[in-house]
């Protein structure tokens, strides 16, 4: 997605040799106009998949996911990383290990929001090692819903998230694919959409 690549080039900052900071349009401050275009792009790509729910994980997946849900006219559900006192119904949970943060967190979704008839599109802001998406897949499979694909805003292709997801049989669609960082600049690989 050219608009997204241009924005990453203009506003993204490379930190060290493996992290891209995009906090002025995606992970902290959010550019809703860009999110809206991202939503339209994913909706177009998955137009024939019969998606009934969009699922993401808090926090930074929520902004793109809600615009995908709007474009597909379906609900968006985000997995929670901490349980609060109102979550008193049956929960579906998965352990997610973050290589970046080196912590394991338990993520959960209330069972009442998913049914075996659902066709789910998973959306996330970053794909690094794929652990967040794999955790969501475990939860969604537990209710017997179908997973039609994983939509990623920014994939770091030099990490093995895509391979893990494709090896497990899932379609991955990334709007920007970072092949590498060179002299503080982002080098893109061919994106999926
Ligand atoms: P994985 O899910 O693909 O295995 O990724 P990993 O555990 O390595 O990443 C953990 C967190 O760091 C995730 O956010 C992920 O979105 C984010 N992340 C990974 N690589 C980058 C990067 O290059 N730049 C930025 N900005 N973030 C990156 P999270 O823990 O779910 O945090 P948040 O969504 O609550 O902010």
């Amino acid at each position: 997605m050219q608009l997204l690549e241009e924005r990453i080039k203009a506003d993204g900052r490379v930190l060290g040799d493996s992290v891209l900071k995009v906090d002025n349009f995606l992970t902290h401050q959010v550019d809703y106009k860009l999110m809206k275009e991202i939503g339209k792009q994913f909706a177009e790509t998955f137009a024939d998949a019969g998606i009934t729910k969009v699922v993401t994980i808090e926090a930074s997946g929520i902004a793109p996911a809600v615009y995908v849900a709007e474009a597909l006219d379906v609900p968006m559900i985000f997995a929670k990383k901490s349980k609060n006192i109102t979550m008193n119904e049956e929960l579906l949970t998965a352990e997610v290990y973050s290589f970046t943060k080196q912590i394991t967190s338990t993520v959960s979704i209330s069972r009442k929001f998913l049914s075996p008839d659902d066709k789910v599109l998973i959306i996330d802001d970053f794909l690094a090692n794929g652990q967040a998406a794999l955790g969501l897949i475990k939860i969604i499979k537990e209710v017997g819903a179908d997973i039609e694909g994983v939509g990623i805003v920014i994939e770091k292709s030099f990490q093995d998230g895509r391979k893990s997801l494709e090896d497990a049989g899932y379609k991955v669609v990334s709007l920007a694919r970072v092949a590498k960082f060179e002299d503080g600049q982002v080098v893109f690989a061919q994106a999926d959409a």
Side-chain angles (χ1 to χ4, degrees), residues 10-115:
D11 286 341
R13 295 287 169 267
V14 176
L15 301 182
D17 54 11
S18 66
V19 173
L20 179 65
K21 190 172 161 96
V22 285
D23 65 347
N24 54 1
F25 63 93
L26 179 59
T27 61
H28 198 8
Q29 173 170 266
V30 172
D31 179 344
Y32 79 87
K33 287 182 184 156
L34 180 62
M35 295 304 120
K36 212 169 171 63
E37 293 307 313
I38 286 170
K40 281 190 215 158
Q41 183 62 68
F42 280 125
E44 203 175 288
T45 305
F46 287 93
D48 299 328
I51 304 296
T52 60
K53 302 271 166 68
V54 171
V55 171
T56 189
I57 186 165
E58 66 175 346
S60 309
I62 294 175
V66 82
Y67 284 92
V68 178
E70 184 200 26
L72 287 167
D73 195 20
V74 297
M76 184 280 283
I77 305 159
F78 62 95
K80 299 211 175 198
K81 288 180 180 161
S82 62
K83 201 180 160 191
N84 67 43
I85 52 165
T86 66
M87 293 176 80
N88 54 2
E89 292 115 346
E90 191 185 348
L91 295 179
L92 303 161
T93 62
E95 300 290 304
V96 174
Y97 178 72
S98 166
F99 289 95
T100 308
K101 295 181 176 168
Q102 300 203 327
I103 50 162
T104 299
S105 48
T106 304
V107 302
S108 57
I109 292 179
S110 285
R111 181 181 281 271
K112 67 178 177 185
F113 293 126
L114 287 170
S115 89

Side-chain angles (χ1 to χ4, degrees), residues 154-175:
I154 304 175
E155 171 189 326
K156 295 193 292 183
S157 305
F158 54 87
Q159 292 181 257
D160 54 13
R162 172 179 285 262
K163 185 176 182 330
S164 301
L165 293 170
E166 289 184 341
D167 285 353
Y170 299 101
K171 175 179 176 177
V172 178
V173 174
S174 301
L175 300 189

Side-chain angles (χ1 to χ4, degrees), residues 114-130:
L114 287 170
S115 89
D117 299 331
D118 276 323
K119 288 176 177 289
V120 176
L121 172 59
I122 294 173
I123 295 289
D124 211 353
D125 57 335
F126 269 92
L127 177 62
N129 296 293

